[in-house]
Amino acid sequence: LEKALSGRRPFTLATTIRLEEALGVALRKANGAAVAASRSSGIAPEDLGSYSRPAVLWIEGAYLTLRPSFGDKGGIYAYRTEIFWDEAGSYLAFRESERLDAAFTQYGSVSVPNQSGHIYLVTNRFGQLRLITVARPTISGEMHGILTTLQAGPGSHLTPVAAPIALVPLRAVGEVQFGRIGSGDPAYESYRAYLKRTIEDAFARFLTV
């Protein structure tokens, strides 16, 4: 922004889009009227599924998020994900918290297309993507699916990785434990059961050759 405002470089499309999201104002002439109309009507953008808030109200809330630990074999990594309505952008958004690796905390938008029957939590930072694909909530409110991301290794080394993931409504969990959960922790067996259900009940499949 400093370089653009001082005239040393033009505003890039990515910067303009981020400003629009932060301010809730259409800054581009092309499709500006459509964007403004969408936001004022309470309808999410077309590329997120064109859903209305009442249609996705049942997804909003706080979730215990579980996935295998990338560093401890057999361990489970647990943190919190909040799904909420972004008034300025007129769409569902999500934000993580209670992560031990706070520097890797994710936030982004939620896509809910009618066609696939799945829900997508999308992080897009300067073109670098992280994607969570989960099935619609079960009768108990759980959402199971696949996390696709990059695993941090030594130095700047990053490796693509996919893992089962489960989002469990916090209201349905008794005593919540966040962080790395090992086999000796009280919450381990119940957390492990949620992740096993992701695969055993065919919410997600992992294929090999």
Side-chain angles (χ1 to χ4, degrees):
L1 284 176
E2 290 178 354
K3 291 179 180 179
L5 293 174
S6 65
R8 287 179 287 166
R9 60 170 294 179
F11 280 94
T12 64
L13 177 60
T15 300
T16 303
I17 292 173
R18 293 184 68 196
L19 285 171
E20 288 179 334
E21 293 176 345
L23 299 174
V25 175
L27 302 176
R28 293 167 291 167
K29 292 182 179 179
N31 297 324
V35 172
S38 173
R39 289 175 177 171
S40 64
S41 64
I43 304 297
E46 183 178 358
D47 59 358
L48 293 179
S50 300
Y51 52 81
S52 66
R53 186 177 187 183
V56 295
L57 190 62
W58 45 281
I59 303 174
E60 292 187 52
Y63 294 85
L64 167 66
T65 307
L66 305 169
R67 64 160 172 80
S69 171
F70 294 161
D72 301 327
K73 186 175 181 179
I76 297 171
Y77 195 66
Y79 53 94
R80 174 190 173 104
T81 299
E82 184 86 21
I83 297 179
F84 58 94
W85 185 259
D86 185 302
E87 293 287 354
S90 190
Y91 58 81
L92 280 179
F94 76 93
R95 182 177 296 275
E96 299 173 351
S97 61
E98 305 294 342
R99 289 187 56 145
L100 290 178
D101 54 349
F104 295 96
T105 295
Q106 304 288 318
Y107 59 93
S109 56
V110 181
S111 176
V112 190
N114 286 322
Q115 290 86 344
S116 73
H118 282 71
I119 298 166
Y120 306 83
L121 281 67
V122 185
T123 298
N124 186 343
R125 294 291 166 267
F126 306 105
Q128 181 170 303
L129 300 176
R130 190 201 73 163
L131 176 64
I132 294 175
T133 305
V134 291
R136 299 292 179 102
T138 64
I139 192 170
S140 56
E142 303 161 22
M143 294 189 286
H144 298 262
I146 293 177
L147 163 68
T148 306
T149 187
L150 297 175
Q151 179 181 1
S156 59
H157 184 71
L158 298 171
T159 303
V161 62
I165 193 167
L167 278 71
V168 185
L170 278 176
R171 66 178 183 276
V173 182
E175 186 173 346
V176 179
Q177 184 178 353
F178 296 115
R180 288 189 179 89
I181 313 298
S183 57
D185 290 302
Y188 181 78
E189 289 301 329
S190 62
Y191 285 9
R192 184 169 177 265
Y194 286 123
L195 283 177
K196 287 183 65 177
R197 186 183 181 193
T198 301
I199 298 173
E200 291 177 353
D201 288 3
F203 287 104
R205 299 176 63 194
F206 294 85
L207 305 179
T208 59
V209 294

